[in-house]
């Protein structure tokens, strides 16, 4: 379907921006949300913090007014607040869950409402992480939020499959973005040593998988967790 209405939640940089650019280049009408900073040049941009329910409602309404109800919603907004459990404050736990998991609930709920009303099916794509399967010391809050997305997405696959709405998860391994730029070389080398392909991912490699699962060609794929991780979490 050419000219589909696509919304990338958390599309201001990193993986989300790459997804948005790739989808726009392939002919979709693409909107992104940004939380901080400026609107994104060349893409319809709506300010939205997924921890604020009114922001989510406003963002979807703005996208609907600009390019019609979203046929494809990529739920990508995510944060890390790394800390060992015994030092993890309630706020570190809550902030991560609130953005990564509760934010996804808010966006998916609003997305599904629009898709059902439009009666032309839809694609939900959640960006989880290899850490959801493997766990990671210092990332218990992040890993919990990212595994939560899997159960959430699969439940939606069952609830809305009969409406032609697919719900899938992409689970990237470590990817070159602002989120990983903060890691020191020693930590990076340690992680890379565990990756069968011996390197971290480039943004476009994650975006390619997102684009596929959001395409018409992926119409019979739902409830899937698609790893794009150089093999690091294989077997899970
Ligand atoms: P970045 O930190 O580069 O970008 C994060 C994006 O999420 C930004 O667009 C940011 O918006 C947005 N965002 C953060 N908090 C909120 C919020 N409360 N409301 C709305 N938007 C928000 O991250 P990456 O591109 O690296 O990661 C993208 C996704 O991929 C995340 O979900 C991450 O967990 C996941 N992932 C990343 C991996 C990696 O190695 N990079 C590996 C596995 C998974 P703004 O810039 O406007 O603040």
């Amino acid at each position: 379907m050419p000219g589909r209405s696509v919304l990338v939640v958390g599309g201001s940089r990193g993986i989300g921006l790459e997804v948005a650019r790739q989808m726009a280049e392939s002919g979709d009408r693409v909107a992104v949300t940004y939380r901080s900073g400026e609107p994104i040049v060349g893409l319809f941009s709506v300010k939205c913090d997924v921890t604020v329910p009114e922001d989510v409602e406003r963002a979807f309404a703005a996208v609907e007014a600009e390019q019609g109800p979203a046929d494809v919603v990529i739920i990508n907004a995510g944060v890390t607040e790394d800390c060992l459990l015994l030092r993890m404050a309630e706020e570190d736990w809550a902030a991560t869950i609130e953005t990564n998991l509760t934010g996804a609930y808010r966006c998916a709920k609003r997305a599904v409402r629009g898709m059902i009303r439009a009666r032309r099916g839809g694609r939900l794509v959640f960006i989880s992480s290899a850490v959801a399967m493997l766990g990671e010391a210092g990332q218990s809050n992040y890993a919990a939020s990212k595994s939560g997305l899997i159960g959430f997405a699969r439940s939606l696959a069952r609830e809305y499959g009969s409406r032609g709405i697919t719900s899938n998860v992409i689970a990237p391994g470590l990817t070159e973005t602002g989120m990983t730029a903060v890691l020191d070389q020693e930590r990076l080398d340690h992680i890379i040593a565990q990756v069968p392909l011996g390197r971290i991912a480039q943004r476009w490699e994650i975006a390619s998988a997102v684009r596929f699962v959001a395409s018409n060609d992926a119409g019979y794929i739902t409830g899937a967790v698609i790893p794009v991780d150089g093999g690091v979490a294989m077997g899970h």
Side-chain angles (χ1 to χ4, degrees):
M1 194 165 90
R4 298 178 307 173
S5 172
V6 175
L7 171 60
V8 182
V9 179
S12 58
R13 57 195 161 97
I15 293 169
L17 181 56
E18 181 68 25
V19 168
R21 294 231 188 272
Q22 277 198 18
M23 294 188 84
E25 272 164 29
S26 61
D28 292 317
R29 295 200 290 165
V30 182
V32 294
T33 73
Y34 65 104
R35 177 187 52 157
S36 48
E38 298 294 318
I40 311 309
V41 176
L43 292 169
F44 181 68
S45 312
V46 197
K47 206 166 169 73
C48 172
D49 183 334
V50 297
T51 66
V52 180
E54 299 75 29
D55 272 21
V56 173
E57 177 54 41
R58 238 191 327 265
F60 274 81
V63 170
E64 282 169 1
E66 174 70 16
Q67 60 184 40
D71 301 300
V72 178
V73 177
I74 317 294
I75 299 177
N76 171 75
V79 291
T80 50
E81 285 290 343
D82 294 358
C83 195
L84 295 172
L85 176 65
L86 294 183
R87 292 202 201 119
M88 189 181 291
E90 290 254 351
E91 301 81 64
D92 299 330
W93 171 266
T96 308
I97 300 291
E98 180 65 18
T99 300
N100 299 3
L101 188 55
T102 311
Y105 145 80
R106 286 188 190 109
C107 295
K109 189 173 177 182
R110 183 58 180 79
V112 167
R113 183 143 53 89
M115 288 170 184
I116 287 178
R117 223 184 269 145
R119 292 170 175 270
R120 44 179 202 236
R123 297 272 186 273
L124 297 171
V125 184
F126 298 87
I127 310 301
S128 174
S129 168
V131 164
M133 269 74 74
L134 296 174
E136 182 60 41
Q139 291 201 306
S140 57
N141 49 359
Y142 181 74
S145 72
K146 292 298 184 181
S147 350
L149 281 181
I150 295 174
F152 180 56
R154 287 184 162 159
S155 303
L156 301 188
R158 292 189 189 281
E159 282 183 28
Y160 301 107
S162 63
R163 309 276 191 156
I165 298 171
T166 66
S167 174
N168 291 293
V169 176
I170 300 291
L174 200 66
T175 306
E176 201 169 11
T177 69
M179 195 176 261
T180 47
V182 296
L183 299 174
D184 62 42
Q185 196 56 46
E186 195 184 338
R187 177 108 185 89
L188 213 50
D189 291 344
H190 174 73
I191 294 169
I192 289 172
Q194 298 166 52
V195 181
L197 286 181
R199 62 177 178 86
I200 69 172
Q202 299 297 309
R203 276 166 277 188
W204 68 266
E205 293 174 305
I206 312 302
S208 298
V210 172
R211 212 177 47 174
F212 169 68
V213 85
S215 72
N216 286 344
D217 289 346
Y220 202 56
I221 300 176
T222 195
V225 179
I226 300 171
V228 190
D229 63 1
V232 76
M234 70 171 99
H236 293 275

